[in-house]
Amino acid sequence: MYKRILVATDGSTLSKKAVRSAIDLASAVGAELVALYVVPRYPVSYFEGGVTISSQDVARTEKQWADKGKAVVEAVKLAAQGEGIKARAVIASSDLVAESIISAVKKQKCDLVVMASHGRKGIKRILLGSETQHVLTHSSVPVLVLR
């Protein structure tokens, strides 16, 4: 059925449910699991009068975010391996989360994506966007969305 499943996680309670489901599915079908965390880049302000932040502070903040991401995907990897599933932890750095997920699917040769969705509707969806929706409409492989 599936040979390699990518689970996108941000360490939130909602994404932990997706991780649990992905581990269960990988176990049931004998698939490998790829845990992905997308680390955002530090926002830069181009407005006059904006607060200037030193490059050292930006680098330190981005490193903290990357370290958090590594911890999240390593925990997923260990949980999967604890259940006898071959797993790997992957970090991507980008502000384009959905594009990073789609790119990782291709690079890691995954044949299923598992991810969570908040199920926002109306104005909240417009204002906050939907990474899940973008992955659903642009992915070349099936996407399992969990609420």
Side-chain angles (χ1 to χ4, degrees):
M1 179 172 231
Y2 299 113
K3 293 183 173 130
R4 189 169 295 136
I5 299 169
L6 183 138
V7 61
T9 182
D10 62 5
S12 68
T13 302
L14 184 60
S15 72
K16 286 178 183 176
K17 291 178 183 180
V19 166
R20 181 74 254 155
S21 294
I23 290 172
D24 291 345
L25 181 58
S27 178
V29 300
E32 180 181 350
L33 189 70
V34 176
L36 173 69
Y37 185 102
V38 180
V39 180
R41 298 193 194 280
Y42 195 89
V44 179
S45 176
Y46 295 102
F47 297 108
E48 185 176 329
V51 176
T52 312
I53 299 173
S54 73
S55 59
Q56 294 89 357
D57 288 341
V58 169
R60 187 173 337 132
T61 300
E62 286 181 339
K63 183 180 180 328
Q64 288 172 344
W65 292 346
D67 290 346
K68 178 193 175 214
K70 287 177 188 172
V72 168
V73 291
E74 284 297 325
V76 173
K77 177 182 168 183
L78 290 174
Q81 289 175 335
E83 296 190 27
I85 299 165
K86 185 178 176 185
R88 65 180 104 152
V90 177
I91 298 286
S93 294
S94 177
D95 290 327
L96 305 172
V97 175
E99 291 298 327
S100 294
I101 293 169
I102 292 166
S103 177
V105 165
K106 292 175 186 169
K107 186 174 181 181
Q108 301 294 325
K109 299 181 178 152
C110 297
D111 48 13
L112 176 70
V113 177
V114 176
M115 59 191 305
S117 174
H118 289 95
R120 293 185 184 105
K121 295 180 181 167
I123 194 72
K124 284 185 180 178
R125 183 174 177 275
I126 291 168
L127 294 174
L128 298 174
S130 174
E131 302 300 337
T132 304
Q133 182 66 33
H134 187 91
V135 173
L136 272 169
T137 56
H138 292 89
S139 177
S140 60
V141 301
V143 180
L144 175 61
V145 180
L146 302 160
R147 284 194 172 186

